[in-house]
Structure formats: C-alpha cells, structure tokens
C-alpha cells in the first residue's frame, strides 16, 4: 500500500492558509560506506549572507546545495525569506493600478521563490536527515511559519484585489485557465477565512500556529519510537529469515554497539519480514507488539494526548470557518466533495473484504490445526502476529508459491532499471545516472538526469533515496524540490523518491519483497506525474488529494507485466531470469490475500473519516479506535495498517486528515484505467498511454479532474473493475 505524496509548492501555500508537511540501490561492488564525490555548485552571493538562501546554481538549471545543509542556518534563513516574501506580496497589495489578473495573480504566483527553495531544503532536513536539534528548530518555527502564511493570506487588501478580479472575471478577457485560477483562489480564500472578522482572523492564526506545533510534536514522538530496536541474542530465534536479511540485522546491531547480536528496527521494512518468515512465534509477537504499539506506550513518546488536542483544534477551526466538521472543511476541494460520498465508496468494498478475511483465516487455521495434529507445529488460534506467517503457508499450499522463492529475483537496482525502462516505453522518458555531478544529502542517494528519448531534451533530475537510516521518517514518499511551470520561464523538474528499504549486507545486492517492489513503482508513478507535467500556471499544478495517488497507483501495474519480469527479474547469484513457471505462479496468485490487504488499509481510512466527520472531538483515542473497529466488524486477526497513535498521514500535518480514503478513490480510477489498457490490447498500448499522458498526467489541475477522467475514459470510473481486480463479488 502506498504511503505518501508530493509536497506542495510555495505558490500553493500562498494560495491557502493550510501548511502541509510535506532509486537506486547501491551497486553491489560499491562499499557500504563509500561516498559519492559531489561537485559543489558555482559560488553565488547568498541572500543576506546565508548560503541556504542563494539561488541554486550548477547543472540542470541549478540544483539544491545539499552540501551546505546546516540546521543552525535555518532560523536566520526563515527570517530573511519571510521578509522577502512579505515584501513581494506587499508590492502586489500596494499597486495603485486597478486589480487585474496580470498585476495581481501573476506576481503572486511568482512570489516566494526564495522561500520555496528554502522549504525544499528544510523538507529534506526534517524528513531525511532529522536530529534532536532539527526537531527543536521545527517545533519552534512551524508555528511561526504557519502564522506568517495565515496572516499573509488573510490580509483584507489582498482579498479585496482578488474579489475585484473575481467579480469581473467573465468581462475582462480572461481565458478558461485564468478564470479557473481566479475562481479557485477566491473560493479558497473564502473557505480559509477571508471573510472572518478581525477578531476571528486572530483566532484562526493562533489555531493554525498551535496545530503546527502539535504536528511537530507528534512527528518527533513517532520518530523516537521508530528509532528503537528489538535485539536478539540467540540466532536460533531468527530461523526462517533469509540469510541476507539476517546479515543486515547483524550489521544494524553492530552499528548500535552490540556486535554479535541482531537488531530489528521498529519500522515496517524491518518488522514485516520477521512477521512473514520467522518460525519463532514468540519473536513474531514481540516484534508485532513493538511495531503496533508505536506512540501508544504511556511514556514520553505517547501521542494520544497530542492527537486529542489536534482533534479539538481542528473541529474548532472548522466551526470558525463555517463548516460542520473538519472532514467537511478538508473535502470541500476534492473529487469526492463530501464525507458521505467517500464513505459510500468505502462501504461498497468493506463487506466483501471482511468476508474474504474470514475465508483467509479459515484457510490458515486449517493449516495450523493440521500441523498441530501432526506434531509439526504448536496448537494455536490465529492471532495478528500469525497472519503474515500462515498466509505464506496458504500461498504455498494453494499456488505452490513461496515468497522466499521470489525475493532472490527482486534486486533493487534491477527493479530501478525496470521502472526506468517502462517509463521510456510508455512516455519516452530516459534516465542517465549522474555520478558526482551534483551534491547529494547522503552518500547513498543517487541522481539521474531525466530526458526525452526522442528529442534528447532535458526534463529534469530524479533523486533516489532508498534506504532506512536514523533520522529519516518511516514509509515512502515522493516530493519535488522544484516543479514545472512555464510562467516566468520554463522550469525543469527536480523530483525525489524516498523509501526505507533495508540495505543488503556489505558486498551483497539489496533484495526486496513484492510489496516493496510495488512501493518502488508506486512512488516512481508520482515522479512520472510531475516529470510529465506541462502547465503554464503553478496554481493549476496541484491536483485534489483524491487524485494525487491515482497516477502512482496506475504505475504499480507494470511491475508484474511479463515484459518487466522476464527482462529484469533475474537471480542475484546466477543472473538467470525468473523461470516462467514462477512467473505464472505469481500471476495466478495476484488476487491472493486481498482480504487482508483491503481490510488493513480500509479500516484505517474508515476510522480516519469517522474520527473527523463528527462535531464532538474524540478525547479517548484508544477507546474510539477500539469501539469504531468493533462497530464496523473489524476481524480480530488484523489491526489497522496505521493505528491512530502512529498515523502520521493524519497527525504530522493536515494533508491526509479526512483524506486517507483517497487511496481507494484513486485505485477505483486506477483499476478502470488498467482495464482501458487491457481493452485496447495490452499494457504497452501507446494510444492509451498517450491519452493517459496528455489528458491526465500533463495537465495538472487545469480542468476539473472528474471531467478530465471522463474525457479520457468516456465515462466515470466503474468500481466493478476494482472489485474484479481484488477478486470480490461485483453484484
């Protein structure tokens, strides 16, 4: 299941009071501690003497100076960037000429470039290279930045200019895109408080600032729990785990000062292989409890009180802004429009998913009972820490497929080449690795020039940060350090994919699971979306939350195509391609375990919506989670993919709050889009790919995305394609 999405540009922050947070494996011959040589950018006079504020220089229209990162420089940089941005916006406000699109919206869309560059640097500092000092700076400055942007957007003189243009939008010669910008900007300013009284505006500023501080506190607490390890002193406890993975655990323990032991980090990429493969049930339970208990241990890192305060403030803000609930506020500018529409889609899928889980559990229990009867296994009732382990036994029994057979063929560097090759065949995107041509923020980050295969024209640069490290937030995400636009001069794209894979032991390639391989292709789908984008106005770039995941989920489909598997799924020792018999088993088992996958995700989405679609804020977080899951019939053998105390999507920012449903909304379009490829003759049909690219990927938010989808498909998406994909009844 995908994890996250791109960070918005500063231009979008200027259009909204809400502040949102927001590959390549090493070559097997490269020593684990080797540093890529980094070419420093040409010297440029920094703004105010601070190198973090200097315009980016070097190749590819300028690149971030990662070699200049220093947490202590950020407070001064924030001060100076805020002053510069304020001056740029004030110049628009003070323009004595009558408001027009050209003298108001254009300079507003071009304002804040220094701040936007600074946010790109700070995003990496907080997400990829955090430290206690960085967390402290974030806790101090997130509220200040929130207040700054909220106050900027609530300036009555700025709103007056917007309203004057809005009122005459149909009589002033504006084209369709300009009218869309005017209407969306006006509506967003009203939605975010432009018509509030001065006293209520002050309340809103304070609320947003306090929320930002709470988001920072939540993130710090969660990161602290994810830095913890489960240490193993007896290697026998690791029976069933792959030798390469065991070696990586030994290396992690040594790095933690405990040579001769094995360290399992409290993150999904480390915990999941244990839950799936370890024969030692006690170890599985121990690792499971540590992982699902993140943020919920009653200690200094417990997040429950922080979440309760966030919920209280969110509801108060929604009411201040004239909305019934936080969910209504957050969904006003989405494809789904209302909480009821999102819930309706989720409840179309939920009953079938739960029914399938009961079938899956029965299959697993039969195997466990048979093993107990034969004396080859313990007498147990399937518990959550057993699910992944016994599902592999069912997979083996039903499809003669063992995940351990597959993983040796899934080399991270080969899969990277596969996703690049697929993008070339579908969209004419080419990728050339840069070694030492641009700075990187970690020696293991690799960069690739992106270019058009037909014209050789540069499209941008892709940064790949694949591996887990202390100070890096969990999960996987894509962001852009610079996004495309033609206003003010065409800009190429600096995109970044970030994962948390467990690196192979020294001298060995990194092998990943099918789930991790899907994540790799998913995040790259986000990258493709932004690399292909071609919009004039940056305020028509960012798409609705429930569209964001659509291009990335579509891209997952190409992973299991025969062409990709035959060409890139090669054994890490022999170099032989994956046998066709094994490929056939994988394809035959694609609908396997869909009950678990769907319920694990959908429970999180339903709880999110129920948590935020209410007028009385929840105060007892654990009780609400427990009671809501009981109400909807959550199978006891599964927990939410993200329990509330660790649900970073919801509580590290506003970004996915009342919005986690969007993965299902997007997947409905994804399944229907894949059906379009199949109807046209296969996954590589260029006519469908070209329509997908030109109508949906290149156009940002230039038109309503529901209308754009209808233009692509000839109708609205059909949920039957999703149900069929998962093997659920369609009637």
């Amino acid at each position: 299941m995908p994890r996250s999405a791109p960070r918005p540009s500063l231009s979008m922050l200027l259009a909204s009071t809400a502040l949102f947070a927001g590959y390549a494996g090493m070559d097997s011959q490269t020593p684990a501690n080797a540093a890529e040589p980094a070419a420093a950018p040409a010297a440029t006079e920094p703004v105010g003497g601070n190198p973090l504020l200097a315009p980016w220089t070097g190749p590819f229209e300028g690149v971030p100076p990662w070699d200049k990162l220093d947490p202590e420089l950020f407070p001064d940089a924030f001060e100076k960037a805020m002053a510069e941005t304020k001056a740029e916006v004030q110049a628009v406000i003070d323009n004595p000429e009558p408001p027009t699109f050209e003298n108001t919206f254009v300079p507003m869309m071009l304002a804040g470039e220094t701040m936007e560059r600074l946010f790109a640097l700070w995003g990496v500092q907080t997400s990829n290279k955090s430290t206690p000092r960085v967390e402290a700076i974030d806790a101090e400055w997130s509220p200040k930045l929130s207040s700054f942007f909220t106050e900027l957007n609530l300036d009555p003189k700025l709103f007056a200019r917007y309203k004057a243009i809005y009122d005459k939008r149909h009589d002033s010669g504006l084209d369709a895109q300009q009218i869309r910008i005017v209407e969306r900007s006006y509506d967003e300013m009203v939605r975010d408080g432009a018509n509030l009284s001065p006293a209520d505006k002050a309340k809103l500023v304070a609320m947003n600032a306090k929320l930002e501080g709470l988001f920072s506190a939540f993130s710090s607490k969660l990161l602290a729990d994810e830095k913890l390890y489960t240490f193993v002193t007896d290697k026998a406890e690791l029976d069933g785990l792959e030798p390469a993975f065991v070696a990586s655990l030994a290396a992690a323990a040594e790095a933690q000062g405990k040579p001769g032991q094995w360290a399992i980090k409290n993150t999904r990429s480390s915990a999941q292989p244990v839950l799936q493969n370890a024969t030692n049930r006690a170890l599985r339970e121990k690792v499971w409890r540590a992982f699902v208990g993140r943020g919920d241990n009653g200690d200094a890192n417990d997040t429950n009180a922080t979440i309760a305060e966030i919920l209280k403030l969110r509801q108060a803000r929604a009411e201040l802004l004239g909305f019934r609930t936080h969910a209504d506020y957050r969904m006003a500018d989405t494809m789904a429009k209302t909480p009821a529409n999102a819930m309706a889609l989720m409840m179309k899928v939920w009953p079938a998913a739960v029914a399938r889980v009961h079938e899956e559990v029965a299959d697993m229990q039969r195997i466990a009972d048979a093993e107990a009867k034969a004396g080859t296994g313990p007498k147990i009732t399937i518990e959550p820490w057993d699910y992944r382990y016994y599902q592999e036994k069912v997979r083996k029994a039903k499809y003669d497929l063992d995940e351990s057979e597959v993983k040796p063929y899934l080399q991270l560097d080969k899969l990277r080449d596969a996703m690049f090759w697929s993008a070339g065949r579908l969209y004419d995107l080419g990728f050339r690795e840069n070694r030492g041509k641009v700075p990187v923020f970690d020696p293991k980050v690799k960069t690739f020039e992106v270019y058009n295969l037909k014209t050789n024209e540069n499209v941008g640069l892709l940064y790949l940060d694949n591996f887990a490290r202390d100070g890096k937030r969990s999960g996987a995400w894509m962001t852009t350090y610079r996004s495309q636009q033609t206003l003010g001069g065409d800009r190429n794209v600096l995109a970044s994919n970030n994962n948390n894979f467990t690196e192979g032991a020294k001298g060995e390639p990194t092998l990943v699971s099918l789930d991790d391989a899907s994540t790799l292709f998913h995040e790259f789908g986000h990258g493709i979306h932004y690399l292909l984008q071609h919009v004039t106005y940056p305020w028509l770039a960012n798409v609705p939350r429930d569209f964001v995941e659509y291009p990335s989920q579509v891209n997952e489909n190409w992973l299991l195509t025969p062409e990709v598997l035959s060409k890139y799924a090669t054994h890490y020792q022999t170099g032989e391609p994956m046998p066709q018999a094994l490929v056939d088993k994988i394809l035959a088992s694609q609908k396997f375990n869909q009950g678990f996958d769907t319920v694990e995700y959908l429970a999180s989405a339903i709880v999110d919506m129920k948590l935020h679609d209410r007028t009385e804020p929840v105060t007892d977080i654990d009780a609400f989670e427990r009671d809501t899951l009981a109400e909807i019939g959550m199978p006891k053998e599964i927990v939410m993919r993200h329990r509330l105390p660790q649900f970073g999507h919801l509580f590290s920012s506003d970004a996915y709050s009342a919005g986690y449903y969007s993965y299902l909304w997007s997947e409905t379009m994804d399944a229907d889009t894949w059906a379009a490829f199949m109807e046209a003759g296969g996954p590589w049909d260029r006519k469908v790919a070209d329509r997908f690219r030109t109508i949906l990927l290149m156009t940002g938010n230039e038109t309503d995305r529901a209308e754009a989808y209808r233009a692509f498909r000839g109708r609205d998406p059909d949920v039957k394609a999703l149900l069929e994909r998962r093997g659920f009844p369609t009637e």
Side-chain angles (χ1 to χ4, degrees), residues 92-104:
V92 176
I93 293 172
D94 293 340
N95 189 331
E97 298 297 322
T100 65
F101 185 89
E102 290 298 325
N103 70 20
T104 300

Side-chain angles (χ1 to χ4, degrees), residues 171-293:
D171 305 313
S172 50
L174 300 181
D175 63 27
Q177 289 190 21
Q178 292 167 341
I179 290 174
R180 182 166 173 79
I181 290 171
V182 170
E183 291 179 342
R184 286 179 55 78
S185 300
Y186 175 81
D187 289 346
E188 190 163 13
M189 290 190 81
V190 170
R191 187 166 62 245
D192 285 344
N195 283 328
L196 294 177
S197 68
D200 283 344
K201 286 181 178 179
K203 289 180 183 177
L204 181 62
V205 171
M207 285 178 181
N208 282 343
K210 190 168 184 180
L211 278 167
E212 286 299 323
L214 291 167
F215 296 154
S216 177
F218 174 91
S219 298
S220 293
K221 291 177 179 181
L222 181 57
L223 183 60
D225 266 9
E226 290 175 341
K227 289 178 180 178
L228 301 178
Y229 290 83
T230 296
F231 287 96
V232 175
T233 57
D234 183 356
K235 191 175 183 181
E237 292 185 37
L238 304 176
D239 285 352
L241 301 182
E242 297 168 346
F245 182 64
V246 172
S248 72
L249 300 183
E254 186 167 358
Q256 293 298 309
K258 295 192 176 184
Q261 297 187 30
W262 296 264
I264 303 166
K265 196 172 185 182
N266 203 19
T267 60
R268 189 175 302 276
S269 60
S270 290
Q272 191 161 304
V274 176
L275 297 174
Q276 186 169 302
N277 300 308
T279 60
N280 187 304
R281 192 176 189 230
L283 177 64
R284 295 202 306 270
E285 181 178 358
K286 187 177 182 181
V287 169
W288 180 86
R289 290 192 182 280
F291 184 68
V292 304

